[in-house]
Amino acid sequence: MNQTVEPFLKQAATAAGQSKPHESAHLHVTGSAPYTDDILELTGTLHCALGLSPVAHGQLLGIDLDAVKAMPGVVAVITAADIPGRNDCGAITHDDPILADGELMYLGQPVFAVLSADREAARRAAATAAKVIRFKELPALLTPQEGHAAQDYVVPPMHMVRGDAATALAAAPHRMDLHVDLGGQEQFYLEGQISYAVPRENDGMLVYCSTQHPSEMQHHIAVALGLHSHHVQIECRRMGGGFGGKESQSGVFACIAAVAARKLKRPVKLRPDRDDDFMITGRRHCFYHDMALGYDDEGRVLGTEVSMVSRAGFSADLSAPVMGRALCHFDNAYWLPHVAMHGFCARTHTQSNTAFRGFGGPQGAFAIEYALDSIARQLGKDALDVRLANLYGVDTNNVTPYGQVVEDNVLQPLLGELIASSDYRARREAIAAFNAGSPVLKKGLALTPLKFGISFNVVHLNQAGALVHVYTDGSVLVNHGGTEMGQGLNTKVAQMVAHTLGLSLGRVRVTATDTHKVVNTSATAASTGTDLNGKAAQDAALTIRKRLTQFLADRHQVPAESIQFANDCVEVAGNALPFNVVVTEAYMARVQLWSDGFYTTPKLHWDRETMQGHPFYYFAYGAACSEVLVDTLTGEWKLLRADVLHDVGQSINPALDIGQVEGAFIQGMGWLTTEELYWHPKTGKLLTHAPSTYKIPTASDCPEDFRVKLFDNRNVEDTVYRSKAVGEPPLLLPFSVFFALRDAVSSVGGHKVNPPLRAPATSEALLDAIDAVKAAQAKA
Amino acid sequence: MSAPTPLPPLESPTRPVRFMHQGEVHTVQGLPPTTTVLQWLREHAHCTGTKEGCAEGDCGACTVVLGQPDASAPGGVALKSVNACIQFLPTLNGQALFTVEDVAATNGGQAHPCQQALVDCHGSQCGFCTPGFVMSLWHMYQHHEHPVSREDAADALSGNLCRCTGYRPILDAADQMYKAPRIALDLAPVADALQRLAAEDTGTFFYEARDAADPGRKVRFIAPRTLPELARWRAALPEARLLAGATDIGLWVTKQFRALGDILYLGRVEELKAINPWGPPEAPQGLEINAGASLEDAWRLLARHVPALREIWLRFASPPVRHAGTLGGNIANGSPIGDSAPVLLTMGAEIVLRHGDATRTMPLSEFYLDYMKNALQPGELVQALRVPLPAAGSALRAYKVSKRRDSDISAVCAGLWLRLEGDTIAEARVAFGGMAATARRALKTEAALVGQPWTEATMRTAQAALAQDFTPLSDMRASAAYRQRVAANLLERWWLETRPASPLRADVIQVWPATV
C-alpha cells in the first residue's frame, strides 16, 4: 500500500480516478484536431511519392531516372546514392535500407523517391516504378515454411527451457501433437504513415512525424544525413492510431523526407497512399506452431515442447523481441512444469514484420490456448475446466518458464467472478440444447483467461522523462516522452499532474512530443506509456509541489505536512490560498516553478542468452466469455454476446480504460476472424492492400450484448495510483471468440473431433473445419 | 419526352463549378475535372477536418454530406452522405457541400448533439475517423427525428471504419444524441442559394480544364440536364467516359491514375433517377428503374416489394457508396462480383439501352458477354432496368457471402427463384456472382430443377449440376473450392427455406436473416 497517494484519491474534486473525456475529444468531433497532414504547408513544400520494387527478390540493375524525371511536374528523383550518411533505418539490426541498393528484397520495397510540388504528380511518376526499375529476378522465399526449411533466419533461433520436457512428455499418460496456423494482422491505423521534413538553420532538420518513437526517428535521420542528433528535431502532437505500426516503421518515411528536404533545401512531405502504406510496411507476424503436449487425465499439461516460426519478412526489424515476447507468453495463465520452446524468425521476401499491439504475446499465448482447447475435447471435458486445472497457483506452481515468480496472481477470483456473472455453466447447457435442435445454425461458447507481462523485455528501455512548467497565472504545461495515438496517454498524464498539484484538469495542458524537450525517449509501446511517462510527470509535479510546500511552510511558519493541494487551492493553516496566488508569490520569491521528472521501472533484470530473469514489473489479468452463432452451410457467423472482466489495477480513468479494453477486444477479434492477409503465391505481391480487400471489423461486428467490467483490484507494485497498463493485454480477450467458434464447429461432430480450425477463422476457414469434422465423424 | 433541341456546340465556353460550402458560394475553375472533393477541401480550401483514410471509399474518414435542391425533401434540400475521396469536384456543381466544419455551425456554433454525444460517450480515441462518423451521425440525425434501432444505426455507420473504439461508444452516441433537445436544421438559406445557382445554370453544363494525367491536354466535363440530350451527347461522343456515381471510376483515378478523357456525367439528368411502376397501369408487374437511380433508392424500393432482398440491400456497400452509386452503373460496370446483376438476372430483368433517340430492350441475361464486356454499342447507354416483381409466395431468395457482413465484396452472391405449378417446378432462374467472368445464370442447374418436384433429391441433383455450370477462380476473397461449395450449400439453404413441406424460417438457418 502506498500511503502517500491514498488520501488524494478520496478527494472528490481530484482529477485522477475519474472518467474524463479524451483531452482532444472536443477537437476530434469538430475536425479541429490537427494531424501531421493538417499542418499548414510552408511555401515551397514538395510532395514525395515512392517508386516500389515490382519483384519479391532481385538484383537491382538500374533505374531509368530520365524517364521518371520527364514525367509532368517532377522536380527531382532521389535514390540510395543521394543518402549522405548510412542507408539504414533498422530498429536494432542494420539490415533495413532506406532505399534499395543493390538488392531488391520484397515486392513493395521503396527504390526511389519522386518529388513534385503536386502530390498527385509525384504519385503518378512514382507509379512508373515497374517500368523504370531494371532488375534480375532471384529466387524468393515467400512463406515462413520456406524460410524455415532453408534455415534462413533474420536473427538466430531462440530457446527457452525449464525442466525436462522430453522426459515429462514420455512419462505423461497422454500425448498430443498439434499444428496451429495463426495469421498476421495489418495495423490499419486510420491515419497513414506521414512525415513532413522542414530544413532549419545551421544543418537543422525539423520533422513532423506520425510516430510512436520520436527519438528513434531522430537517430535514424541523424545517421542517414551524417549529422548529430542535436541537429534533428522530431515533433508529434498526435497520431491517428499507431498500434505498433508507427514504432520502427515510421522510420523509412521520416528518413526519405529528411534526405530529400536536405538535398533540395525545401520542405518535403511524404504521405504514402493507403495501398503503398500496405505494400511498404510490415505488420503483426503470422506464426505457425508445432507442439507436442503430454498431459494427465485432468488435462494438466505435464510436458510441452513447442516450435514457433514467425514470418519475419526481409529484415530483422523487431522480429527478435516479438519472438521473445511470444516465448514469454506461451504460458499465458498456466503453470507449465516442463517446457522447451524454440523460436524461429524465418526470413521471407515480403514486408518486414514489426510491432503490433501485444507484440508477439498474443501469438505465443494463442498456442497454449489452442492446446488446452484440444486437450479438453480429447478428454471429453469442458475446455474451461481444463483451463482451470492448469492455472498458475498463488503460493506454488507460480514460476514462469523464464524464472519470474508470479506474485500478483488474481486469476482465481477474476475467473470465478466472470464464470458467475456470465452464467457460463447454465449457458453451456442451454447451448447444447439449442444445438441439438438446430439443423444449420450452431452455437459455441468459450471462456478464456489472460495474463500479460508489463514492461519492455529490454531493461534499459524502461525509463522516461517529463517536464512540468507552472506559469505565474497558475496554468500548467506538461511535456513528456510518450506519444498520443488515441489511447488517452495525455489525458491520464494531465490527470496525474492536476491531481498532484490539486488542480482541476482544465488548468493542465499537455503539449506535442518533441525531441528538443524530453530526450532519449523510449517508444510509446509495450503498454508502458502511462506507467513510465505518468510516473515521470508525477515526479516533476511532486518536485514543484515540494518546493511550493517548503516555500509556504517557511513563509507561514507551519509544518510542511499540514499543507494540502486541492480544489485549485493550497490549504495553509486553515486558509485556502488560490493556486495562482501561491505560484505568483513563489515566483516573486524566486522559487523554480518548473521541473523535470524521471522514472525508471524497478526490479527488472533479464538474461538474453538464457532467457531467464524478471522481465516484467507486474502482470495484468483478464478474461472473456463469448457466445457465437455459426452457419454450418456457409461458415458465416455472428458474435451474440461477450462478457469481459479485465484488470487495470486501480483505474486512473475508467472510461479510457474501458475504451482500451473494448477496442482491443474488437481489434483482436478482427485479427482472429475477418482480417486475412493474402500474398500472391507466385509473385509474393500482397493482394489484400486496402480496406476493399482487407476487412477490419465494422459497427455491426460489435456484439449487441457486450458486458465489459473492470476487475476490482489495485496493483501490488508501486505504479501510478496503483493502476495497471491497459494497451495490449485485452487484445488476448477475443481468444474467447475464436474458441467459441471452434466449439460451435466441434458441435457438428458431437464434440468428439478436434476441428482443425486455422486463424483467421474466416467463413472459408470455418467451413473447411466443419467439413473436416464431418468427414472425420463419418470415418469414425 | 422533351422535344429535341440542338446540342450546344462542343466548343461551348467552360463554366466554373459553383457550389455552396460554409454558407458561401464557391467558384472553382482551372482544376482538372478528376480533382476529388477531398483534394479540393484539403489542398485548395485548406479545410482539413475531412480526412483521407483510403482514397477508395472504403473507410469513411472523408464522409461529407451533399445537399441537392429537391422540392420534395424537407427544407427543399435533399441531404445524402458520400465519400469525398472519390467524388469528382465538378459533380458538386449546383449542390451544397456540408463538412465537419459546418456541423457546429448548424447549432449556433455550439457542439451539435451528435458531436457532444460522441464526446460524452467517449466515442473518439485517436480521432482520425471521428469527423467521418460525425457526418454519418449528422446525416442520420437529419433523416430520423427519433432514435433508430441499433441495427439501423450500425447500418448507417457501416461505411465508417474505426480502429480504436470497437464501436460500442459510437453506437451509444447514435442513441444518446437524441436525448438532447432537437436542433432543427434551417435549410431555407441553402435552398434559396441553390435555386439562384440553378437559375443561372441552365442547359448542359460545360467544364473544361487540364487533364490530371496529361497537363498539356484539355478535357471536358459535360453534364446535360435531359435524357434526350444525354443520349445525343453519348452518340456524339462515344469515346467520352460516361460517369454516374464514380464509386468505381473514382478509383481508376485515385489508384490507377487512368486518364478518363472527356467525361459525360449523367448525375444532373433528373428523369434518369426516377423509379416508376412498369407494366399496365392497372396491374403493374414490376419496376422500371432508370439508370441514374441511386443504389440506395433502388434497393430500398426493391426490398420494400420483396422483403427477401433486404439483406442484400443493407449489405450492398455502405450508405455513402449507395447514395453515390447507381443501379445502372453497377449493371453497366458489369463486374463479376457486383451484387446487382445476380439478383436482377434471377428476377428476369430486362435492360433498356438507348442510342440517340432510339431504344432497344434485351433480357439482362443477354447483356453480359465476357469479363467486363457487354452488349453496349459505341454511343449507347443504359437507360433503365425493368424488373418484374415475383408473384407473392414464389420462392425468390438472394444470398450474399463475404468475409465481413457489412461493406464487403461478395465471395459469392446468389439470386434464386422458382415457381411451382402444383408440386412441380415450372420455372426456375438461378444466377450467381463471383463464380465466373460475369455474373450469369446457372443454366444446367436450372434445367435440373425444372419439371421436378421441389424435394431434397431435386436440390441435390441441382447441386451436382451447379458444379458443371461454373469453374470459379481462387483469389484473396475466397478459394475456388470454397466458392463451389458455398454456392452448392446456398441451394440447400434455399431449399430449406422454401421447400413445400415444413420450410424453415430464415432466422432459424441464417446468421443474418433477410426477413424474420
Side-chain angles (χ1 to χ4, degrees):
Chain A
M1 297 285 277
N2 182 335
Q3 295 301 328
T4 59
V5 299
E6 201 65 12
F8 287 91
L9 285 169
K10 303 276 186 264
Q11 294 173 21
T14 57
Q18 296 179 14
S19 288
K20 298 279 182 188
H22 192 284
E23 42 90 18
S24 290
H26 62 295
L27 304 177
H28 295 153
V29 298
T30 49
S32 50
Y35 300 79
T36 301
D37 196 39
D38 302 335
I39 296 168
L40 273 179
E41 287 167 13
L42 292 164
T43 306
T45 293
L46 294 173
H47 294 270
C48 184
L50 302 177
L52 309 182
S53 167
V55 67
H57 192 203
Q59 188 186 346
L60 177 58
L61 302 176
I63 311 166
D64 186 359
L65 293 179
D66 290 340
V68 184
K69 286 176 185 162
M71 292 282 290
V74 173
V75 171
V77 184
I78 301 273
T79 67
D82 296 301
I83 299 171
R86 190 171 71 200
N87 180 14
D88 175 65
C89 57
I92 301 167
T93 311
H94 300 306
D95 63 349
D96 222 331
I98 296 165
L99 288 168
D101 193 6
E103 191 176 1
L104 300 170
M105 294 295 281
Y106 68 102
L107 198 160
Q109 181 179 15
V111 180
F112 62 89
V114 181
L115 283 303
S116 169
D118 176 41
R119 180 170 179 269
E120 193 176 324
R123 290 183 62 219
R124 284 176 186 276
T128 62
K131 283 186 219 151
V132 302
I133 295 171
R134 284 177 287 117
F135 62 88
K136 182 178 156 217
E137 194 164 353
L138 297 171
L141 301 165
L142 295 181
T143 64
Q145 284 81 356
E146 289 171 33
H148 191 39
Q151 296 190 26
D152 191 349
Y153 306 116
V154 296
V155 291
M158 299 173 207
H159 306 281
M160 183 185 288
V161 176
R162 185 256 296 280
D164 183 352
T167 305
L169 268 167
H174 307 282
R175 181 187 161 112
M176 181 188 288
D177 293 291
L178 264 181
H179 175 84
V180 180
D181 278 309
L182 179 55
Q185 185 181 25
E186 163 64 31
Q187 289 88 0
F188 209 89
Y189 26 68
L190 259 288
E191 176 211 31
Q193 301 272 2
I194 179 166
S195 279
Y196 183 35
V198 181
R200 305 295 284 266
E201 65 165 56
N202 198 11
D203 293 332
M205 184 65 68
L206 166 63
V207 183
Y208 301 96
C209 180
S210 183
T211 182
Q212 296 169 245
H213 204 343
S215 284
E216 185 171 305
M217 299 305 108
Q218 179 192 26
H219 300 153
H220 283 324
I221 290 169
V223 171
L225 298 184
L227 297 172
H228 294 297
S229 288
H230 69 202
H231 287 114
V232 182
Q233 179 182 7
I234 308 292
E235 185 183 309
C236 177
R237 170 60 185 94
R238 62 172 59 78
M239 280 166 273
F243 313 111
K246 294 171 181 170
E247 185 175 341
S248 64
Q249 301 226 346
S250 40
V252 66
F253 308 101
C255 287
I256 292 171
V259 165
R262 183 152 172 88
K263 181 178 162 87
L264 301 169
K265 301 182 173 57
R266 285 171 73 170
V268 170
K269 184 189 279 187
L270 174 45
R271 175 172 71 83
D273 173 72
R274 176 65 63 180
D275 296 65
D276 287 351
D277 193 315
F278 262 84
M279 297 304 285
I280 295 167
T281 66
R283 41 195 64 81
R284 185 189 299 287
H285 295 69
C286 52
F287 270 61
Y288 68 90
H289 304 282
D290 283 300
M291 285 183 275
L293 300 144
Y295 54 96
D296 66 14
D297 292 341
E298 299 305 308
R300 279 187 291 258
V301 177
L302 306 174
T304 320
E305 179 145 19
V306 55
S307 131
M308 305 185 179
V309 181
S310 70
R311 176 193 281 268
F314 81 97
S315 70
D317 191 82
L318 299 169
S319 294
V322 164
M323 182 57 80
R325 190 165 276 267
L327 297 174
C328 283
H329 283 78
F330 176 69
D331 62 335
N332 194 21
Y334 311 110
W335 158 245
L336 302 172
H338 299 280
V339 56
M341 290 179 260
H342 318 285
F344 304 93
C345 303
R347 188 188 309 279
T348 52
H349 291 100
T350 51
Q351 296 82 0
S352 192
N353 282 330
T354 189
F356 189 156
R357 200 175 198 171
F359 202 77
Q363 291 99 313
F366 185 80
I368 192 69
E369 290 297 342
Y370 203 99
L372 295 183
D373 194 71
S374 305
I375 287 170
R377 206 165 281 109
Q378 200 69 28
L379 292 172
K381 288 179 172 297
D382 189 314
L384 175 62
D385 293 322
V386 170
R387 290 187 165 101
L388 291 172
N390 281 286
L391 284 187
Y392 272 114
V394 174
D395 300 314
T396 57
N397 298 349
N398 62 351
V399 183
T400 64
Y402 44 90
Q404 177 166 350
V405 176
V406 181
E407 292 169 335
D408 51 9
N409 184 350
V410 293
L411 285 162
Q412 284 287 0
L414 190 150
L415 282 168
E417 188 179 331
L418 185 68
I419 291 166
S421 66
S422 67
D423 206 13
Y424 176 88
R425 304 284 177 189
R427 284 164 70 199
R428 170 65 67 205
E429 297 299 313
I431 284 169
F434 172 90
N435 286 344
S438 177
V440 174
L441 300 181
K442 301 290 180 186
K443 288 185 178 178
L445 183 71
L447 193 155
T448 57
L450 74 89
K451 165 184 128 293
F452 198 87
I454 303 300
S455 295
F456 287 100
N457 274 50
V458 179
V459 172
H460 75 264
L461 297 177
N462 296 284
Q463 58 173 308
L467 293 172
V468 173
H469 296 182
V470 177
Y471 296 94
T472 53
D473 65 351
S475 64
V476 179
L477 194 76
V478 182
N479 193 269
H480 59 82
T483 55
E484 175 60 48
M485 60 194 104
Q487 80 278 44
L489 172 60
N490 284 355
T491 313
K492 285 185 173 179
V493 169
Q495 282 180 280
M496 284 177 250
V497 169
H499 185 244
T500 304
L501 296 174
L503 299 175
S504 50
L505 196 52
R507 295 261 192 143
V508 182
R509 186 180 172 97
V510 182
T511 57
T513 314
D514 184 340
T515 55
H516 272 23
K517 290 185 178 169
V518 175
V519 308
N520 307 330
T521 57
S522 293
T524 307
S527 307
T528 61
T530 302
D531 281 13
L532 297 177
N533 297 289
K535 271 282 190 191
Q538 192 184 42
D539 179 45
L542 279 170
T543 301
I544 295 167
R545 195 175 86 187
K546 274 182 204 146
R547 291 190 194 127
L548 290 172
T549 301
Q550 195 56 50
F551 161 69
L552 291 168
D554 292 347
R555 171 164 290 196
H556 296 279
Q557 293 299 305
V558 295
E561 308 79 66
S562 70
I563 293 172
Q564 294 287 325
F565 288 68
N567 304 325
D568 291 325
C569 289
V570 186
E571 201 181 296
V572 186
N575 294 320
L577 307 175
F579 185 76
N580 56 325
V581 173
V582 170
V583 295
T584 301
E585 288 177 357
Y587 166 76
M588 298 303 289
R590 296 189 291 176
V591 174
Q592 185 185 344
L593 288 176
W594 60 272
S595 175
D596 64 335
F598 189 66
Y599 177 72
T600 60
T601 314
K603 299 187 178 181
L604 303 178
H605 56 91
W606 180 244
D607 182 333
R608 218 191 300 183
E609 296 306 311
T610 62
M611 300 204 80
Q612 295 289 311
H614 193 287
F616 305 121
Y617 188 29
Y618 61 88
F619 296 97
Y621 301 88
C625 178
S626 294
E627 180 177 338
V628 299
L629 184 67
V630 173
D631 178 344
T632 56
L633 287 176
T634 61
E636 294 165 291
W637 65 280
K638 183 180 184 180
L639 177 57
L640 297 174
R641 172 177 165 185
D643 293 59
V644 170
L645 188 58
H646 191 79
D647 163 36
V648 299
Q650 187 162 268
S651 178
I652 294 166
N653 186 326
L656 294 187
D657 285 340
I658 284 175
Q660 289 295 297
V661 171
E662 292 181 348
F665 186 97
I666 298 298
Q667 192 176 73
M669 180 179 85
W671 167 45
L672 294 170
T673 57
T674 58
E675 295 182 37
E676 188 170 41
L677 294 163
Y678 184 89
W679 286 268
H680 189 282
K682 294 209 170 66
T683 65
K685 182 177 184 181
L686 180 67
L687 295 177
T688 47
H689 53 74
S692 50
T693 45
Y694 185 77
K695 310 312 284 188
I696 73 169
T698 59
S700 307
D701 299 314
C702 175
E704 206 160 331
D705 193 351
F706 197 14
R707 308 180 192 193
V708 178
K709 263 190 71 184
L710 300 178
F711 181 62
D712 186 13
N713 196 22
R714 58 201 308 280
N715 203 332
V716 301
E717 299 294 349
D718 179 19
T719 52
V720 272
Y721 300 106
R722 300 284 169 166
S723 65
K724 288 190 179 184
V726 66
E728 295 169 292
L731 199 106
L732 281 67
L733 295 168
F735 285 0
S736 57
V737 176
F738 181 88
F739 291 107
L741 288 168
R742 197 170 184 229
D743 181 50
V745 171
S746 154
S747 72
V748 305
H751 299 292
K752 291 191 174 61
V753 180
N754 262 313
L757 181 62
R758 63 186 180 268
T762 56
S763 296
E764 177 165 354
L766 285 161
L767 194 61
D768 282 347
I770 288 163
D771 287 353
V773 169
K774 283 181 180 166
Q777 190 69 355
K779 222 188 267 176
Chain B
M1 289 246 178
S2 40
T5 46
L7 290 177
L10 265 176
E11 295 72 29
S12 296
T14 182
R15 292 193 219 164
V17 181
R18 296 204 299 163
F19 57 95
M20 288 209 49
H21 182 226
Q22 296 190 344
E24 287 177 23
V25 172
H26 289 259
T27 300
V28 179
Q29 44 199 341
L31 296 177
T34 53
T35 304
T36 66
V37 173
L38 183 64
Q39 280 174 322
W40 179 79
L41 278 168
R42 295 189 56 85
E43 296 174 16
H44 300 279
H46 304 293
C47 204
T48 55
T50 309
K51 309 300 183 194
E52 179 184 308
C54 69
E56 61 173 23
D58 263 300
C59 81
C62 68
T63 306
V64 297
V65 171
L66 299 183
Q68 204 165 21
D70 182 345
S72 68
V77 180
L79 300 174
K80 60 174 189 177
S81 57
V82 299
N83 295 117
C85 68
I86 47 172
Q87 278 288 311
F88 297 142
L89 189 67
T91 67
L92 282 191
N93 192 47
Q95 302 202 61
L97 169 66
F98 296 93
T99 64
V100 68
E101 287 87 356
D102 292 288
V103 171
T106 64
N107 187 26
Q110 299 296 305
H112 187 274
C114 69
Q115 294 172 310
Q116 193 57 47
L118 276 172
V119 173
D120 294 342
C121 295
H122 307 278
S124 75
Q125 287 184 23
C126 86
F128 197 82
C129 69
T130 310
F133 275 97
V134 166
M135 295 316 291
S136 287
L137 289 174
W138 187 75
H139 178 263
M140 190 172 118
Y141 189 87
Q142 307 311 339
H143 284 81
H144 300 275
E145 283 200 21
H146 301 287
V148 302
S149 71
R150 191 187 146 102
E151 190 196 349
D152 288 345
D155 178 62
L157 299 173
S158 66
N160 294 92
L161 298 179
C162 168
R163 193 53 152 167
C164 297
T165 64
Y167 301 101
R168 192 272 310 159
I170 299 173
L171 290 165
D172 284 357
D175 196 46
Q176 171 102 354
M177 66 181 180
Y178 288 101
K179 298 195 171 135
R182 184 162 178 86
I183 304 303
L185 179 63
D186 181 13
L187 285 168
V190 178
D192 286 352
L194 293 182
Q195 272 164 21
R196 279 197 301 278
L197 285 183
E200 296 163 14
D201 176 32
T202 54
T204 294
F205 171 74
F206 277 92
Y207 176 81
E208 188 179 56
R210 69 191 152 85
D211 185 348
D214 179 3
R217 182 175 162 218
K218 295 264 186 184
V219 282
R220 287 164 295 201
F221 180 94
I222 303 167
R225 305 300 290 264
T226 68
L227 179 55
E229 258 187 2
L230 171 71
R232 280 179 294 135
W233 275 116
R234 182 70 183 140
L237 297 173
E239 300 301 318
R241 176 62 57 192
L242 198 61
L243 180 76
T247 55
D248 191 31
I249 289 177
L251 276 69
W252 299 2
V253 173
T254 63
K255 299 294 174 180
Q256 300 168 14
F257 308 111
R258 278 164 71 172
L260 299 186
D262 289 335
I263 293 169
L264 186 56
Y265 179 55
L266 55 79
R268 302 296 302 278
V269 182
E270 283 307 317
E271 60 193 294
L272 212 49
K273 297 179 184 174
I275 303 176
N276 301 312
W278 169 50
E282 64 284 1
Q285 66 203 69
L287 298 172
E288 183 173 73
I289 303 173
N290 284 303
S294 74
L295 286 163
E296 176 70 8
D297 288 346
W299 281 104
R300 182 187 294 275
L301 205 61
L302 283 167
R304 188 181 300 159
H305 287 284
V306 188
L309 300 181
R310 181 172 177 274
E311 190 64 14
I312 290 280
W313 162 38
L314 295 180
R315 291 177 64 185
F316 199 116
S318 62
V321 168
R322 296 202 297 262
H323 292 149
T326 60
L327 187 72
N330 192 250
I331 290 294
N333 175 289
S335 162
I337 44 179
D339 286 338
S340 299
V343 179
L344 296 193
L345 283 167
T346 292
M347 296 178 82
E350 295 177 351
I351 187 164
V352 182
L353 308 179
R354 176 165 180 147
H355 189 284
D357 292 332
T359 60
R360 61 182 178 128
T361 300
M362 65 170 68
L364 182 59
S365 54
E366 291 172 17
F367 181 66
Y368 295 119
L369 305 177
D370 202 345
Y371 180 67
M372 301 305 259
K373 285 204 180 108
N374 59 37
L376 276 172
Q377 295 297 310
E380 201 171 31
L381 56 81
V382 176
Q383 177 178 311
L385 287 142
R386 290 181 180 154
V387 187
L389 294 171
S394 77
L396 176 73
R397 292 293 183 274
Y399 302 130
K400 169 171 180 162
V401 176
S402 55
K403 277 186 195 167
R404 187 175 71 193
R405 178 187 182 268
D406 276 330
S407 195
D408 196 0
I409 290 166
S410 293
V412 171
C413 183
L416 309 161
W417 173 82
L418 59 74
R419 185 174 60 80
L420 291 173
E421 273 178 16
D423 293 337
T424 306
I425 299 170
E427 279 183 283
R429 280 192 297 267
V430 171
F432 280 92
M435 295 290 286
T438 69
R440 65 171 171 78
R441 280 169 63 178
L443 298 178
K444 294 192 175 75
T445 309
E446 291 177 1
L449 291 166
V450 173
Q452 304 297 318
W454 191 209
T455 60
E456 177 167 8
T458 300
M459 182 270 291
R460 298 286 173 213
T461 313
Q463 283 183 318
L466 188 67
Q468 307 302 312
D469 271 316
F470 295 111
T471 311
L473 294 178
S474 289
D475 64 14
M476 63 282 193
R477 293 198 176 86
S479 71
Y482 178 69
R483 287 188 158 111
Q484 198 70 270
R485 215 153 19 121
V486 151
N489 285 359
L490 291 177
L491 295 183
E492 182 169 346
R493 178 196 280 179
W494 177 40
W495 173 72
L496 287 169
E497 266 194 75
T498 62
R499 61 188 176 188
S502 59
L504 298 177
R505 280 201 331 268
D507 63 317
V508 172
I509 57 164
Q510 287 188 50
V511 172
W512 298 299
T515 51
V516 179

